Amino acid sequence: MEQSDKNLLNCDNIELNRRSIHEYTFEETIPEENNPNTQCGAIGWYPKWLQKLASKKTYVFVYSLLGMYESMISSYLGGCITTIEKRFKLPSTVLGIIGSGWDTGSMLTSLIFAYIGSGGYKTKWIASGALAMALACYVRFIPHLIYGPGDEAEFHSSDSSAIDNLCNDVSNVTENCDLNTEGRNSAIILYIGQIMTGIGTSAYFTLGATYLDDNVVKRKFPFLQGLVMFIRLFGPTIGLMISSYVLSIYINFGKKPPFSNHDPRWLGAWYLALIPFGCIGIIISLCLSLFPRVLPREAERRRKRQEEALISREISFKDFKETMIRLLKNPILMLNSFSTVFFAIGGMGFWTFLPKYFEYQFRKSASEANFIAGSIGLICTAFGVITSGIVMSVFRPRPSYVAGWNVITEIYQTGAFIALAFLGCFRDDMVGSFNENGEFITTMSCNENCGCYASMSYSPVCSKDQSMTFFSPCHAGCTTTTFINETKIFGNCSCIDDGFGIATEGPCPVSCTTDFILFVFLICTSEFLISTGKAGNTIIQYR
């Protein structure tokens, strides 16, 4: 073993990048003008006009776009999760398994990308990951391509949708909520799409920042990385805003059902943005594939410093094992990695299901829930990330101070999350009762002769005094309908004994503005504080 390798093995801070899987010699490398390793292009195509873009500024811009694209897809799918759940009648457990596909793909390929990719053209591997994310968008579109908007959406788009589920109405609509072949096949396809996205993101996270670190002056890396993270934070907001818009469009495109998007029966066009997302990913992938192996200015700096040249070592399983052993023996890297893992376990599910939580807990529409969740991500988190990048670049605090600050912010966020569990609109106004088996029964003496099926389509109505929500007009005992100022009114409701016996479409509204504002405030403050430690945490990881 050469002396340089021995020194590398004894190094305290070992990072999984080019220095850990290459050996150094003292051969001088002088980049030539026609050297493809320092020129933008591919497959023998290196035009002069393109070389102006071979700079760290261009890379930061494109790399930031990829990060924004990745987080945009993630938040878009999170915003559409309730619609996908209702459309394919998927239980939450199946949705959780589908969501885990992202992490599965990333876990299976992160080490492979880090080891093999760092030995060659990092940007080519990152571009391959971006292409995988783009193709995953097309894969997710397949369920809609095969099964369309669904029978329920087709029914509500037809003339027969005027059926009101009244008491003793023989034309009442029933619904099968069991997981059928359509749901199972769609779940498998969506899971494959998640795995492909996870594979793509592993290249982004493992190689993107190391390429930037390798090609800039070290003192500039904290600010540039903070800038990348700041731009990336626009992704969740854009994704949720787009999902908010597409979910305001009915799933049966071009058709309009006889109810608004605030009605629980509404299904938004969750698939509408997937094809454009795929096209954007392909463009970003092409741009990244044109970057050189080493940026020209960095190559010039190495030449002036007479820096030792990199000579690729033959990739082998033995070398991979030695690299992993070196990493596992690095306590700072391991503890920091465990911290990131536990943070992801606690935070990923929260942000994934936050729009759904807003829908069910605070009774927001799908589009409103996505808009609110997206605003929180942009306003609060973005300022924290850019602030931390500036502080790290200007003041250069000690690693112990950075780690200590991360501990403080995570303690605050843990307390905030505990407090969030006690906030919400805890109003149980659905009329019914639980039997001894824990089943919710909506049949009562006032509607037992109405012929209300347990599998009847969910179409809630609210009493005039807004104190009771019934599963359907049938369960409220209503026998007539009329329109007053374009509002559907159900009359002769035997289960409403307030002297009026009428009900309106939709669940009863709830009023818990104070709890909602406090809920949003705690999320904002915790996300701002936790994001101030992201740039420092990244630097600890790489240094």
Side-chain angles (χ1 to χ4, degrees), residues 312-488:
S312 297
R313 174 186 295 173
E314 182 181 356
I315 295 175
S316 65
F317 177 76
K318 180 181 179 181
D319 185 57
F320 176 77
K321 183 175 68 173
E322 292 176 353
T323 302
M324 289 303 303
I325 292 175
R326 290 198 298 268
L327 291 173
L328 292 173
K329 290 182 178 180
N330 188 325
I332 296 178
L333 178 62
M334 287 296 100
L335 291 175
N336 199 48
S337 298
F338 281 125
S339 172
T340 303
V341 169
F342 287 122
F343 176 80
I345 291 174
M348 290 296 291
F350 174 81
W351 284 105
T352 299
F353 290 96
L354 183 60
K356 181 178 180 180
Y357 189 83
F358 282 153
E359 287 184 53
Y360 287 96
Q361 187 60 243
F362 297 101
R363 295 193 180 178
K364 304 292 183 181
S365 67
S367 57
E368 287 176 334
N370 291 335
F371 180 83
I372 296 169
S375 300
I376 294 174
L378 174 63
I379 296 174
C380 305
T381 311
F383 282 108
V385 169
I386 197 66
T387 300
S388 66
I390 295 174
V391 170
M392 292 296 299
S393 296
V394 175
F395 297 100
R396 300 183 186 179
R398 296 178 181 177
S400 58
Y401 292 168
V402 175
W405 175 250
N406 287 343
V407 171
I408 294 173
T409 58
E410 289 176 8
I411 290 175
Y412 177 85
Q413 187 177 53
T414 301
F417 276 16
I418 294 174
L420 293 178
F422 299 95
L423 297 174
C425 302
F426 301 102
R427 177 178 176 180
D428 186 12
D429 55 357
M430 178 65 73
V431 177
S433 60
F434 289 95
N435 62 13
E436 57 185 10
N437 296 324
E439 299 174 338
F440 191 72
I441 305 300
T442 55
T443 301
M444 301 170 291
S445 59
C446 60
N447 62 20
E448 60 183 357
N449 296 321
C450 287
C452 305
Y453 302 105
S455 58
M456 183 172 288
S457 178
Y458 179 57
S459 51
V461 294
C462 177
S463 60
K464 180 179 175 60
D465 61 0
Q466 298 185 345
S467 63
M468 297 181 292
T469 297
F470 294 87
F471 189 85
S472 72
C474 179
H475 291 85
C478 304
T479 58
T480 63
T481 59
T482 185
F483 283 88
I484 300 178
N485 296 328
E486 298 184 355
T487 300
K488 182 180 284 189

Side-chain angles (χ1 to χ4, degrees), residues 65-66 68-78 80 84 88 102 128-146 186 189-201 239 242 269-285:
L65 287 182
L66 178 59
M68 187 168 62
Y69 173 74
E70 177 269 334
S71 59
M72 180 176 64
I73 294 175
S74 176
S75 62
Y76 176 83
L77 295 174
C80 295
I84 295 174
F88 297 106
W102 191 307
S128 300
L131 182 61
M133 285 190 276
L135 295 178
C137 292
Y138 297 132
V139 170
R140 294 189 186 96
F141 186 79
I142 293 176
H144 179 76
L145 191 65
I146 297 175
S186 299
I189 295 172
L190 293 173
Y191 184 73
I192 293 173
Q194 290 291 88
I195 291 179
M196 293 175 63
T197 305
I199 293 173
T201 55
I242 294 175
W270 63 275
Y271 58 88
L272 209 56
L274 292 176
I275 298 299
F277 280 171
C279 296
I280 294 172
I282 291 175
I283 294 173
I284 295 176
S285 175

Side-chain angles (χ1 to χ4, degrees), residues 47-289:
K48 290 185 178 180
W49 62 267
L50 192 61
Q51 307 316 312
K52 297 179 181 179
L53 301 178
S55 66
K56 65 176 183 294
K57 294 179 181 178
T58 308
Y59 175 74
V60 167
F61 175 73
V62 179
Y63 178 52
S64 300
L65 287 182
L66 178 59
M68 187 168 62
Y69 173 74
E70 177 269 334
S71 59
M72 180 176 64
I73 294 175
S74 176
S75 62
Y76 176 83
L77 295 174
C80 295
I81 194 168
T82 53
T83 300
I84 295 174
E85 179 182 20
K86 290 190 291 185
R87 164 61 187 90
F88 297 106
K89 299 178 175 59
L90 301 175
S92 295
T93 52
V94 174
L95 285 175
I97 294 173
I98 293 174
S100 68
W102 191 307
D103 299 318
T104 301
S106 180
M107 180 180 64
L108 293 176
T109 56
S110 290
L111 292 177
I112 297 175
F113 272 124
Y115 178 72
I116 299 178
S118 59
Y121 280 83
K122 292 185 178 70
T123 51
K124 298 292 191 294
W125 287 101
I126 301 171
S128 300
L131 182 61
M133 285 190 276
L135 295 178
C137 292
Y138 297 132
V139 170
R140 294 189 186 96
F141 186 79
I142 293 176
H144 179 76
L145 191 65
I146 297 175
Y147 300 111
D151 295 336
E152 186 177 347
E154 293 284 1
F155 169 79
H156 289 307
S157 302
S158 64
D159 294 335
S160 59
S161 63
I163 296 174
D164 294 314
N165 285 339
L166 297 175
C167 178
N168 289 322
D169 191 341
V170 295
S171 60
N172 283 341
V173 181
T174 60
E175 183 177 357
N176 182 11
C177 295
D178 295 332
L179 183 62
N180 52 24
T181 302
E182 177 180 308
R184 283 191 292 269
N185 293 342
S186 299
I188 293 173
I189 295 172
L190 293 173
Y191 184 73
I192 293 173
Q194 290 291 88
I195 291 179
M196 293 175 63
T197 305
I199 293 173
T201 55
S202 65
Y204 165 79
F205 284 110
T206 57
L207 299 176
T210 54
Y211 181 83
L212 179 62
D213 188 35
D214 289 345
N215 286 276
V216 299
V217 179
K218 301 308 176 187
R219 59 183 174 83
K220 293 184 178 180
F221 176 74
F223 174 75
L224 293 176
Q225 181 64 14
L227 181 61
V228 169
M229 297 172 69
F230 172 76
I231 297 176
R232 181 178 180 271
L233 290 174
F234 283 88
T237 300
I238 295 174
L240 289 172
M241 295 297 180
I242 294 175
S243 66
S244 175
Y245 173 73
V246 299
L247 292 181
S248 66
I249 302 172
Y250 194 54
I251 189 172
N252 198 356
F253 193 74
K255 303 292 182 65
K256 188 175 181 180
F259 44 79
S260 69
N261 60 356
H262 288 272
D263 193 285
R265 293 169 291 177
W266 179 274
L267 291 175
W270 63 275
Y271 58 88
L272 209 56
L274 292 176
I275 298 299
F277 280 171
C279 296
I280 294 172
I282 291 175
I283 294 173
I284 295 176
S285 175
L286 290 174
C287 293
L288 282 167
S289 66

Side-chain angles (χ1 to χ4, degrees), residues 12-24:
D12 291 330
N13 293 322
I14 301 174
E15 58 182 305
L16 187 56
N17 61 14
R18 60 182 177 86
R19 295 179 178 84
S20 63
I21 63 172
H22 291 83
E23 60 184 78
Y24 290 84

